[in-house]
Amino acid sequence: MTDLPVPIGLLAELTHRCPLGCPYCSNPIELTRAKAELDTKTWLNVLNEAANLGIMHVHLSGGEPLVRPDLAELTNAAHLAGLYTNLITSAVGLTVQRFSELRAAGLDHVQISIQGVDPARADSVAHFKGGTRAKLDAAKRVVEAGMALTINAVLHRNNMDELPAIIGLAESLGAGRLEVAHVQYHGWAIPNRAALMPTREQFLEAERIVVEARARLEGTLVIDHVMPDYFAERPKACMGGWGRQVIVVTPDGRALPCHAAATIPGLDFDNVRKKSLADIWHHSEAFNRFRGTQWMPKPCNGCERAEIDWGGCRCQALSILGDATATDPACALSPNHARMKELAVATATNTYRFRRIGG
């Protein structure tokens, strides 16, 4: 492509290890083991290559990145390379000492996930006793240090009633941003879809609450609302468009255009152990497969929104239709849109399959 954009973000999935067992985790069912993870030297090289490529910020993620003993070293390397550093964490391991080390290393921003405000219910979903208390303590520590804090609250059928309290919690903590993120059905969320999917009425009520809160808290708290595609009429631009804004590097070094891209059969993903980020970004067959609009089928091809949603989500088309090249069924123009609506109202269950190494 002659108009290939410069990527703006690197999602560094440092590990798949995590003390939590959230049933909506976006990591794959088959998780990478510790022995297969990139070593410190390789990650340091990736971070410098990212800066040289023009990437502006790095999200240090997982799994739980705090399980990596070299996290402060990697954070400092990113900082020295001129990258804005964001730690995406469950925060259950963000002790006073670890936080002090990361702050000294140049950490700019912390994003803490919460499972709700009711400790018993939230800890049950996270499959980790005492997690809620640890998260709140860590959040207060971040704000008291004068650092930027985002609260990420994942919504599903069983905690939607807590949304007003979640907004109030983010406000009381002094967070600058709240991400109200409905479950996105990839990774572990797919086998748990029937237990997580909200009703349409719940979704509409959540939308109303967010609109009201945005007006009330304008200038105080930024609220992002990540909609559930199953109730949408038009798809979202996945990761800002396939191969347009973000590079995801997995714990074992594969470079992906999005979290779930490795589920798509027939795509070979280059590894940062063997190729540079720049080479992968420009020349990788996988990154170029769904770039731009030429690959699109009808009705996407020629649609006025083609360069707005960039075809939506390829992994969603695969998981629902079995075809990654099909029109995203989230779009009302898709001949399979009704199939997605059917899944949204499928018979509910209350049984979770919790995330665990080894599946």
Side-chain angles (χ1 to χ4, degrees):
M1 293 180 62
T2 57
D3 61 342
L4 185 62
V6 175
I8 61 175
L10 170 67
L11 179 61
E13 294 184 338
L14 302 179
T15 181
H16 279 161
R17 290 173 286 162
C18 182
L20 306 190
C22 302
Y24 47 70
C25 179
S26 63
N27 287 154
I29 298 296
E30 291 299 324
L31 299 168
T32 299
R33 308 302 176 102
K35 63 182 180 182
E37 292 174 5
L38 297 181
D39 60 18
T40 303
K41 182 179 179 181
T42 305
W43 273 119
L44 293 174
N45 188 54
V46 168
L47 293 169
N48 281 300
E49 287 183 353
N52 291 333
L53 186 55
I55 285 174
M56 295 185 293
H57 55 256
V58 57
H59 303 284
L60 302 164
S61 182
E64 175 47 68
L66 287 165
V67 306
R68 293 272 308 208
D70 58 356
L71 181 58
E73 183 179 356
L74 299 180
T75 300
N76 186 243
H79 171 71
L80 293 176
L83 297 169
Y84 184 88
T85 53
N86 175 33
L87 176 66
I88 300 178
T89 177
S90 68
V92 297
L94 193 57
T95 62
V96 173
Q97 180 178 345
R98 291 302 299 280
F99 177 63
S100 178
E101 291 171 353
L102 291 168
R103 186 183 177 200
L107 183 65
D108 294 300
H109 183 280
V110 180
Q111 177 175 312
I112 296 177
S113 63
I114 63 170
Q115 285 69 39
V117 295
D118 177 75
R121 179 161 40 170
D123 289 357
S124 175
V125 171
H127 216 51
F128 188 91
K129 188 176 181 179
T132 302
R133 182 71 265 163
K135 290 168 182 289
L136 296 180
D137 289 344
K140 292 174 183 176
R141 197 171 295 131
V142 172
V143 173
E144 287 171 357
M147 288 182 60
L149 171 68
T150 290
I151 296 295
N152 171 263
V154 181
L155 293 188
H156 49 86
R157 182 193 311 127
N158 297 310
N159 71 351
M160 296 280 278
D161 60 310
E162 294 189 356
L163 180 53
I166 288 170
I167 295 172
L169 175 64
E171 185 182 5
S172 67
L173 287 170
R177 176 172 168 265
L178 169 64
E179 186 175 275
V180 177
H182 293 261
V183 167
Q184 303 299 298
Y185 293 91
H186 304 291
W188 290 76
I190 293 178
N192 288 306
R193 182 166 49 201
L196 295 167
M197 185 71 68
T199 65
R200 183 171 183 80
E201 290 71 26
Q202 284 181 308
F203 159 64
L204 292 174
E205 176 64 6
E207 188 174 36
R208 183 195 67 78
I209 291 170
V210 168
V211 169
E212 183 181 274
R214 279 174 170 165
R216 178 174 61 85
L217 297 169
E218 185 177 5
T220 301
L221 177 67
V222 175
I223 304 178
D224 292 335
H225 194 193
V226 183
M227 303 291 192
D229 283 343
Y230 284 68
F231 298 110
E233 295 300 315
R234 292 291 184 269
K236 297 191 293 290
C238 176
M239 305 293 280
W242 180 283
R244 296 192 64 81
Q245 293 187 3
V246 178
I247 302 175
V248 180
V249 176
T250 65
D252 60 0
R254 288 169 296 158
L256 312 178
C258 74
H259 303 77
T263 63
I264 299 177
L267 291 183
D268 292 323
F269 297 98
D270 293 318
N271 198 294
V272 296
R273 288 185 170 109
K274 297 181 178 180
K275 293 188 177 181
S276 70
L277 278 187
D279 188 9
I280 293 170
W281 179 254
H282 289 99
H283 305 299
S284 166
E285 188 276 333
F287 272 78
N288 282 300
R289 177 64 181 86
F290 298 112
R291 255 186 185 134
T293 60
Q294 292 185 351
W295 65 270
M296 293 181 180
K298 294 290 185 181
C300 303
N301 195 314
C303 176
E304 62 182 10
R305 292 183 56 85
E307 294 189 11
I308 297 174
D309 58 45
W310 299 103
C313 181
R314 300 301 86 223
C315 304
Q316 188 159 259
L318 175 68
S319 67
I320 294 176
L321 306 175
D323 181 4
T325 68
T327 298
D328 187 338
C331 184
L333 300 177
S334 165
N336 297 292
H337 187 59
R339 172 59 180 153
M340 197 165 200
K341 297 296 186 185
E342 290 169 2
L343 290 171
V345 297
T347 302
T349 71
N350 292 313
T351 302
Y352 293 135
R353 179 181 175 185
F354 290 102
R355 175 195 188 276
R356 281 291 180 267
I357 287 284

